[in-house]
Amino acid sequence: ELLLYAGFSFKSFKECLEFIQHNEKNCILMSQNSIMLGLYSSLAIWFARLEQWGNFKEPFEKARRLLRRTSASFFSTSGFCRFLECEVLLLRKH
């Protein structure tokens, strides 16, 4: 993640999107609310940064629904922070 923020990318955005879409129905992954919160929030952030607001809505809403069910653990903190960044980007858009 730090490498992505520094500008280095080993996987294309398309590959990351395909990974999430392919694996989001995995029952083991779906049971991990904090992981899914982080994934959906990150996905929404990238759509917002690319100014693809039509694509932003679905992962943002999925993250919002997970927000209520995610416990306040150390691991979920990064997902909460990413969701907050989504909120700020959405506010900035309006």
Side-chain angles (χ1 to χ4, degrees):
E1 189 170 275
L2 289 174
L3 292 174
L4 285 174
Y5 280 106
F8 297 99
S9 176
F10 295 106
K11 301 284 184 185
S12 68
F13 177 72
K14 182 182 175 188
E15 287 180 83
C16 295
L17 177 60
E18 288 172 355
F19 172 81
I20 293 170
Q21 290 172 337
H22 179 69
N23 291 297
E24 71 180 338
K25 299 297 183 197
N26 182 309
C27 61
I28 296 171
L29 191 57
M30 287 303 292
S31 68
Q32 301 298 315
N33 290 339
S34 56
I35 292 173
M36 294 308 293
L37 174 63
L39 282 175
Y40 287 135
S41 295
S42 294
L43 190 57
I45 288 170
W46 285 107
F47 281 131
R49 289 179 181 171
L50 294 171
E51 296 187 12
Q52 295 180 6
W53 297 104
N55 294 327
F56 169 86
K57 186 176 181 178
E58 183 180 349
F60 178 75
E61 290 301 322
K62 287 180 179 181
R64 183 192 306 267
R65 285 192 299 269
L66 285 169
L67 194 63
R68 296 181 190 121
R69 298 189 325 228
T70 304
S71 63
S73 66
F74 180 74
F75 185 71
S76 62
T77 303
S78 70
F80 287 122
C81 291
R82 288 185 201 136
F83 185 78
L84 179 60
E85 185 176 347
C86 289
E87 291 276 1
V88 169
L89 289 169
L90 189 59
L91 181 64
R92 193 170 112 197
K93 176 190 175 268
H94 289 289

